[in-house]
Amino acid sequence: MLTIQNLTANYGGPNILKNVNIHVKEGEIVTIIGPNGAGKSTVLKSIFGMTNIVEGKINFYEENMVGVKTADVIKRGICYVPQGRSVFPSLTVEENLEMGAFIRSDKAKVKKDLHYVYEKFPKLYQRRHQKTKTMSGGEQQMVSIGRALMLQPQLLLLDEPSIGLAPKIVAEVFEKCEEIKQSGTAVLMVEQNANIALEYSDRGYVLELGENRLEGTGKELLSNKKVGELYLGK
Ligand SMILES: Nc1ncnc2c1ncn2[C@@H]1O[C@H](COP(=O)(O)OP(=O)(O)O)[C@@H](O)[C@H]1O
Ligand SMILES: [Mg+2]
């Protein structure tokens, strides 16, 4: 569904990504790992029209995505959860979710979107009138993911969804990713928590200094000696 080919991108200064190749197939969870500053988040931002693309291609179902404005990327079926819990703290859960449907003008459709998200996140339904600032980190992360799912995207981009969460909650976040995948939304994520992320991933990529280093199935990367030493604490 998504093909990134020989992508070179920057933020107006030196190139951050150099000839990066990544693809995602329908029904996959794909994870990008690598050290801090490797350019992992920059890959997601490039898909979302937030970087300066020097060279290369980003295609989503054969359609060119380079130069497409963020709002139009969303309309084509890609949603993005940036790093950190980007909830609106003084809004309720439901108000936060409704923000995710900002491109819809059809109120009835928004109701359906809400229903869709509440089905996936029954806990959010129970808490729908609670202000998000009074919720735990894990709950806020679920609100962010739920908000991105409001438009029922074909591809969900997640930047470090497990950062700062207790281990038990981290597992819950990855379980949700698995459910999201089962319901037909592919996931491309960036993770520091490489061990658990690769366990839940169909495939993964290692990025270093803005370049592809390694790729393989989740299992292959988990048993790769270099990945083990550098990223899995083995
Ligand atoms: N908005 C920005 N403007 C300029 N440089 C940036 C911006 N965001 C990130 N960078 C730089 O791009 C490089 C890669 O960053 P990033 O993609 O966030 O890495 P990672 O997610 O792998 O930690 C870093 O050197 C960072 O300083
Ligand atoms: Mg990052």
Side-chain angles (χ1 to χ4, degrees):
M1 66 186 341
L2 179 80
T3 315
I4 299 177
Q5 237 179 332
N6 296 324
L7 181 69
T8 297
N10 61 42
Y11 293 97
N15 289 337
I16 305 292
L17 300 179
K18 296 152 212 158
N19 278 310
V20 167
N21 291 285
I22 286 172
H23 68 271
V24 181
K25 293 182 230 163
E26 277 180 355
E28 278 192 321
I29 296 180
V30 175
T31 297
I32 306 171
I33 62 171
N36 257 330
K40 304 180 299 295
S41 298
T42 304
V43 171
L44 301 188
K45 289 187 209 161
S46 295
I47 300 165
F48 225 56
M50 294 162 74
T51 65
N52 175 37
I53 292 172
V54 181
E55 240 186 279
K57 288 183 187 163
I58 303 176
N59 287 331
F60 187 57
Y61 288 110
E62 315 290 315
E63 269 188 272
N64 165 52
M65 302 299 283
V66 173
V68 175
K69 287 200 195 93
T70 300
D72 294 320
V73 176
I74 296 169
K75 282 180 193 155
R76 291 197 198 173
I78 302 179
C79 289
Y80 168 53
V81 180
Q83 191 178 326
R85 269 135 242 146
S86 54
V87 293
F88 299 95
S90 41
L91 299 185
T92 65
V93 169
E94 187 147 303
E95 287 162 346
N96 266 277
L97 293 178
E98 282 166 355
M99 294 290 238
F102 70 101
I103 63 169
R104 296 237 200 269
S105 45
D106 178 352
K107 282 223 167 108
K109 188 72 183 75
V110 175
K111 272 244 148 71
K112 273 193 186 157
D113 296 330
L114 265 177
H115 183 75
Y116 173 82
V117 172
Y118 285 146
E119 244 178 16
K120 299 221 147 18
F121 298 86
K123 279 187 192 161
L124 295 186
Y125 180 72
Q126 290 162 16
R127 308 278 196 105
R128 65 194 181 281
H129 300 307
Q130 187 173 337
K131 287 193 172 156
T132 53
K133 66 181 167 199
T134 64
M135 300 174 96
S136 71
E139 289 162 350
Q140 291 187 16
Q141 185 59 279
M142 296 298 185
V143 174
S144 310
I145 296 174
R147 191 176 56 208
L149 287 176
M150 278 292 281
L151 298 170
Q152 306 184 31
Q154 287 160 295
L155 176 63
L156 179 66
L157 310 177
L158 294 177
D159 199 342
E160 310 250 6
S162 80
I163 201 165
L165 301 179
K168 192 176 143 253
I169 313 297
V170 169
E172 261 180 52
V173 168
F174 287 109
E175 282 298 324
K176 275 296 167 208
C177 290
E178 184 68 32
E179 282 175 37
I180 290 165
K181 163 185 154 167
Q182 297 301 340
S183 66
T185 297
V187 177
L188 175 61
M189 72 175 143
V190 166
E191 257 301 335
Q192 292 284 340
N193 239 324
N195 264 309
I196 181 162
L198 289 174
E199 250 170 59
Y200 280 88
S201 297
D202 296 287
R203 289 184 309 105
Y205 293 85
V206 179
L207 219 63
E208 281 174 17
L209 297 169
E211 296 182 49
N212 285 80
R213 276 288 174 262
L214 285 167
E215 64 181 272
T217 63
K219 278 206 181 99
E220 283 165 353
L221 291 177
L222 278 170
S223 59
N224 181 290
K225 200 160 171 272
K226 189 179 171 230
V227 173
E229 282 165 7
L230 289 174
Y231 306 112
L232 307 176
K234 283 185 188 160

